[in-house]
Amino acid sequence: MILEAHNLTFYYRNRKKNPIIDSFELTIPPGERVGLKGPSGRGKTTLCRLLAGYERPKQGQVLLDGKPVGEYRGACPVQMVWQHPETVVDPLLKLKETMAEAGGIDKRLVEKLHIEREWMERYPSELSGGELQRFCLARALRPETKILLCDEITAMLDLVTQAQIWEFLLEESRRREMGMLVVSHSEALLEKVCTRIITLD
Amino acid sequence: MKNMTQTETNQRRRTVFFLIVAVMILAAVTAAGILTEGCAVETDFSRRNLSPSLQHLFGTDWMGRDMLARTLSGLSLSIRIGILTAAVSAAAALLLGTASVVLGRKADAVISWCIDLVMGIPHILLVMLISLACGRGFTGVVAGVALSHWPSLARVIRGELIQLRQAPYILVAERMGVSKLQNVRRHMLPHLLPQFLTGLILLFPHAILHESSVTFLGFGLSSEQPAIGVILSESMQYLTTGKWWLALFPGLALVLVVALFALLGERVRRLLDPSSAHE
Amino acid sequence: MEPILQIEHLSVYFTQYEHGPRSSAFQKRQLAAVKDLSLEITPGQIVAVVGASGSGKSLLAHSILGILPYNSHMEGKIRYNGETLTEKKARKLRGKEIFLIPQGVTYLDPLMKVGAQLRKGKKDPETKRRCRSALERYGLGADVEELYPFELSGGMARRVLIASAVTEKPRLIIADEPTPGLDARSAKRILSHFRELADEGAGILFITHDLELALSIADEVAVFYAGETIEKAKAEDFGKPENLRHPYTRALWYAMPEHGFRAVGGLQPYAGDDRKGCPYAGQCTACREDCRTEGQIPLVEYRGGEVRCLHPDEMR
């Protein structure tokens, strides 16, 4: 599937003169990994939220195979992974239940992401950020997912975990012909991971 | 990770112990009141106006009725009304709060307006009006108290839900294909439980006090029923003649029951509030 | 030079009620989030503590300032200027000699103008002058004094927080993840201000998850792993992997995108987990029998730094 953003514009209420995103164009064909860099406060996270359908653009549209991304019912083929994994899992549910809600978890992913069986019985507060981020990736990489948006997903993790996660994601993207948008402030990381880098400013 | 010794007392153990004892006391009072209802209305003019003694611990009134039995059945009636009220209020609050979030902006505006409207009228006045309109008596009081106490809880629930709706884990679940109602049930209601439970328990003392005061003022239960409000209002005319026991014991008992409920609510809050949950 | 801050064998424990399948919800347990941490900062020095999120490094800042959460307690000693730093003393020195530069900008009072916050209620011309010059130093004009915190951008708010430290004469600055979400260039610009403050004689404790950022500014780096400091090294030691002492630190070096982006298998354990011996045993390629059977591995001096490893030369 191809993800396209046309003339994408977004501003908060009453801030029409200072749009966060202004007439942005982007196309992510299958298998391409687009790196996105830019100084802080330029709306990188907002862009990801727009592309994943969390937010509705004020102008322009986000199309997935020609259909607006907000119109997909059920699990969306565009999934976003967030910078802080502890905010995106329900703190009162065991990981087992959170994963069940996302349609169960693939055995292959469990193995590749080094997720241990025993963690499924734990609550989010009993896992480290790196461990939780593995769950979030496993949840986002359900079979329907065709485009993955990664918003600084390893910025809060240590370098070893970062390298592990990207090694896995590269393999996964090649295997599934999955398009990706990679947001990071580390140029070295983007150069290692992406097929193309764009700058937001 | 080191487990502490099993026998050590901690906040959770103490609270649960207190909870069990308090609920048992309240249940015992309710049951005793139902059992003594017969004695409470039994008149015997040979034992009129006796002051407290071993035989009649709370004394008797001008018709020779045992005040202990009357107090117990009065409290029992109050507690039952309280439970009914709390149940109705809780259901209404939960339903409206949820509807406010699920049905969209317009529904929310209407519901918020209703909440503000009901909250704007003094409780006691509203209880009296509804009770009168429903023909007083048991139905009148229950309707009055139940229909006036839901807004505070509904407002709390609505506020919490609206905040929760923006929580990232709920947004993510939505994009994973979880429906709105399922989201409310699975991810929002469990988070509401602490506020809901505490609010619910703290409704009791309010409901009981309002029931008694409305009855005391003559807009509630009829005078044949052994309600605390009735007992207190009747005793007023005998107080000046030195029959202090007619008002003192029933009044004290009412205060104790209300305090017990309030304490219960406070304990439950401390247990569930994250800022003190691990004390 | 006399150290301004000495931390000796600090451990921080959390007391929580259990939940989960293993035990009843009425039992309390203790989790060690920080284990046996020792650290020294002399005036003019920047010491970085680097660890992954959830490795317990923020608790270090909180224990120095005496603001640990209610269900935790610490063991060990913290000395400030040679004297034991009690909670009471920490509270007295906070905002006078010891400053916290926090992670969030929510520490600014949203209802107070910036200038008023920096002056802390004082109105004499001397305070005004110092406040003005503190802001100027970080490229903030006089107009900023009249702004409310919500009118500041993220970078400006952070500079205001630093400025609030230099209106007084800071002796110890604790920066807890002071540049989250800032791009590398802005982060380095903010950090260069720390260098200036250190050169003026302050000791700085810089807590971060970002090793590369830490290396760009710190003199000394303590590496945190699952609640333990596994190595203390000079920043220069990170120039070559052979100079590093602990297998994990070396793995960190090789995992940097510019040094090969190589991953080792396995996971960093959760700080509260029950375990014996070396926390890194599960990921270490040079792990031996005795690494798993011993108690906590001691931190020993080794080749000009310190390391918590029984066989530090195994991997070289």
Side-chain angles (χ1 to χ4, degrees), chain A residues 14-32:
Chain A
N14 306 331
R15 291 278 172 104
K16 198 167 179 176
K17 290 212 181 90
N18 279 319
I20 301 170
I21 311 266
D22 196 4
S23 332
F24 183 78
E25 299 281 339
L26 177 71
T27 309
I28 307 179
E32 189 165 27

Side-chain angles (χ1 to χ4, degrees), chain C residues 86-161:
Chain C
T86 55
E87 207 168 296
K88 209 167 129 199
K89 204 183 281 170
R91 215 170 317 147
K92 226 162 70 194
L93 292 170
R94 206 158 74 211
K96 291 205 180 73
E97 293 180 18
I98 305 179
F99 287 88
L100 173 70
I101 298 186
Q103 207 172 116
V105 288
T106 47
Y107 277 66
L108 292 170
D109 184 340
L111 298 177
M112 220 169 159
K113 284 183 184 164
V114 167
Q117 289 195 45
L118 289 189
R119 291 191 290 269
K120 302 192 181 79
K122 281 181 252 168
K123 280 189 181 135
D124 54 295
E126 165 62 13
T127 316
K128 267 189 187 158
R129 196 192 53 73
R130 267 194 307 178
C131 162
R132 177 71 46 88
S133 72
L135 284 172
E136 245 160 51
R137 189 168 161 181
Y138 298 114
L140 301 167
D143 50 319
V144 173
E145 282 184 48
E146 293 303 309
L147 296 178
Y148 285 98
F150 79 92
E151 296 172 288
L152 303 172
S153 76
M156 273 162 90
R158 226 158 283 285
R159 276 180 282 166
V160 168
L161 281 170

Side-chain angles (χ1 to χ4, degrees), chain A residues 96 98-107 109 120 138-139 142-143:
Chain A
K96 190 173 57 180
T98 301
M99 298 315 286
E101 185 180 77
I105 174 170
D106 192 349
K107 272 220 177 67
L109 290 180
M120 300 289 267
R139 175 171 68 165
R142 44 198 301 168

Side-chain angles (χ1 to χ4, degrees), chain C residues 213-243:
Chain C
L213 204 59
L215 291 177
S216 70
I217 172 109
D219 303 302
E220 225 176 86
V221 177
V223 181
F224 238 58
Y225 185 89
E228 299 184 29
T229 33
I230 49 112
E231 173 161 353
K232 279 197 249 169
K234 300 249 178 314
E236 308 90 88
D237 295 350
F238 282 83
K240 270 194 281 178
E242 296 81 44
N243 291 345

Side-chain angles (χ1 to χ4, degrees), chain A residues 101-128:
Chain A
E101 185 180 77
I105 174 170
D106 192 349
K107 272 220 177 67
R108 197 179 54 82
L109 290 180
V110 171
E111 218 167 87
K112 288 273 176 195
L113 282 164
H114 302 287
I115 293 175
E116 285 172 25
R117 279 269 149 244
E118 191 231 343
W119 297 351
M120 300 289 267
E121 297 296 330
R122 297 202 196 171
Y123 291 91
S125 62
E126 296 173 311
L127 291 168
S128 73

Side-chain angles (χ1 to χ4, degrees), chain C residues 28 79 85 149 178 232 234 290:
Chain C
K28 278 190 173 183
R79 273 186 237 269
L85 188 66
K232 279 197 249 169
K234 300 249 178 314
D290 52 350

